[in-house]
Amino acid sequence: MDKAKLRFLGTGTSQGIPIIGCKCPVCQSADPRDKRFRASAFVQYKGLDILIDAGPDFRSQMLASGIGHLDALFLTHNHKDHTGGLDDLRSLNYIDRKAVEIYCEPKVLESLKKEYSYVFADEKYPGAPEWRVHVISEKPFIVTKDTSNKELVWVHDVGYGNKMPDGSVVPTDGNIVSDAVEVDSDRLGEVEFPDVAIVPIRGFHDKMPVLGFRFGNIAYITDMSSIPEEEFSKLKGLDHVTLNTVGYRPHHSHFSLDEALEVADKIGAKHTWLTHLSHNFPCYEKFAEDLKQLCLERGIHSEVLPAYDGLVIEQRMIITN
């Protein structure tokens, strides 16, 4: 089983923690594990640096973690707390001299075209982000590390252009969308590096289709309230899985804590990490103790703990910082 490394860049709800103006014990906590950016994760897998979601805290998350390069960006869905930071990708255009590779579903793409219409314009505003968008579905797809010599060149007062073999510079345009290369599930073992096969996990955020992703021994799931029965076969044999929960009471678009624990038990990963957490839960230390007791009482064999910003999980090890 291929091993992955995942760093939680954000583990909070759409408002983050602390919530503006809130005086509750969690929002006022001095424990850094109770300070939560909007949900996002950084995965290193088979030589690729992959970001999952880029919400409003994207810039702060990247600076706090020291990340300055991405091979790919996966979008779980199109809500603003997961896409609101995409304009800041232009910093990576400037540093890497390449367009950012984005992987998303068709409905997410349509939302991006409305929210970031200037990225898809035929004649771009100087300084607009440069993306290449790969359309995916719930089928496994291939991500290939960009080893081409294509280079983005900044031209003052004009914007980015593509440097051609003869040295000339051609302005970029909005023709940036293509279908990702998909593979049959029974061919996954045939795929060799640098072509990396990613397994999407279909779920629903209320009635909205969303995706989670499996990277070898780790699966990242957020913003789901249900997972179709047939998807659980993709989640067998995990060392780590992340699941979202926003509170104790039933919620129309997220797992309640009881539901998250039921899903964790069904998946049976060695470790389950709860993310997209709200201030409705206790402060970190008490919440962690409560979860241990709940798992003991219910006979849940997966170790279930709250994740926190900066937590790194790798193989069967957990690295805190």
Side-chain angles (χ1 to χ4, degrees), residues 58-107:
F58 168 72
R59 179 178 179 275
S60 297
Q61 290 166 327
M62 297 290 277
L63 291 172
S65 60
I67 299 169
H69 166 77
L70 295 176
D71 293 304
L73 165 60
F74 297 171
L75 296 177
T76 59
H77 63 298
N78 65 335
H79 281 170
K80 207 68 169 179
D81 55 320
H82 296 261
T83 64
L86 290 174
D87 184 79
D88 282 324
L89 290 173
R90 53 201 172 98
S91 298
L92 298 180
N93 298 148
Y94 185 77
I95 296 298
D96 277 350
R97 297 289 189 256
K98 293 181 182 295
V100 176
E101 312 286 345
I102 297 178
Y103 293 76
C104 66
E105 293 195 90
K107 287 188 176 181

Side-chain angles (χ1 to χ4, degrees), residues 254-271:
H254 287 274
F255 293 127
S256 67
L257 180 58
D258 282 344
E259 291 168 335
L261 291 176
E262 289 175 6
V263 173
D265 193 38
K266 187 170 184 176
I267 293 172
K270 294 179 175 69
H271 306 278

